[in-house]
Structure formats: structure tokens, C-alpha cells
Amino acid sequence: MITITTDWRDLAACLDSDPNLFFPIGSTGPAVEQIAMATAICNECAVQAECLDYALNTNQESGVWGGLSEEDRRRHRKRWLARRRRRYLAS
């Protein structure tokens, strides 16, 4: 029996994109347009949730992951960690 497993990254909309697009330098000026272009690709991606989950679980500090910029992900991560702590304490 052959088992085929597909990593979520193999299904990512960004697979054929320039990786530099997802790692802008800064968050102002030209980086704003770059972040917008990267998040537009993310918003069309079938594995956006998996990408964001990976970024949160591995504490990716740089780049656009799961459709969130570095700043957005920092704010999201605080809420995400609080939910994880509540679930842990409840179990």
C-alpha cells in the first residue's frame, strides 16, 4: 500500500512566488505595498490557516505568514498564547 502525505507547504499559494516578497524590509514606505501584495496572495491560499498556525507555533518573528504582517502577528500571538494558557489551565 502506498501512502501519500502532502505537507501543507506543498499546497501554498506562495509556492511559486519570490520568497523575498514575504520578507519586506521594514513596515513603511515601499514595504507597505510589498506587505499588501504578500497578504493578497495569502488571502487566496487554501492553507492560510495552517501557515499561520505554523508561524505561531514556531514563533516566526519576520515576514508575512498566514496573511498577517509581523505587527499583526505579534498582536495575534498575544491572544493566541492567552487562549493556549487558558486551555492548559482548564485541563
Side-chain angles (χ1 to χ4, degrees):
M1 172 185 249
I2 297 174
T3 304
I4 298 174
T5 55
T6 302
D7 187 283
W8 64 265
R9 288 170 278 215
D10 295 332
L11 304 172
C14 63
L15 192 59
D16 295 324
S17 300
D18 179 359
N20 291 323
L21 177 64
F22 295 86
F23 293 93
I25 306 299
S27 59
T28 60
V32 172
E33 185 176 333
Q34 191 174 344
I35 292 167
M37 292 184 334
T39 57
I41 293 170
C42 294
N43 290 335
E44 299 296 321
C45 186
V47 292
Q48 181 179 6
E50 291 86 345
C51 179
L52 179 57
D53 191 52
Y54 172 81
L56 295 172
N57 278 307
T58 59
N59 198 24
Q60 298 296 317
E61 294 183 8
S62 300
V64 174
W65 291 85
L68 296 181
S69 67
E70 295 169 8
E71 290 177 26
D72 293 337
R73 206 170 46 261
R74 265 190 228 96
R75 285 190 297 271
H76 185 83
R77 183 171 173 72
K78 288 179 183 180
R79 293 188 304 271
W80 180 80
L81 286 171
R83 283 192 305 271
R84 283 185 59 180
R85 277 192 290 273
R86 284 193 299 273
R87 277 185 289 203
Y88 176 76
L89 293 173
S91 60

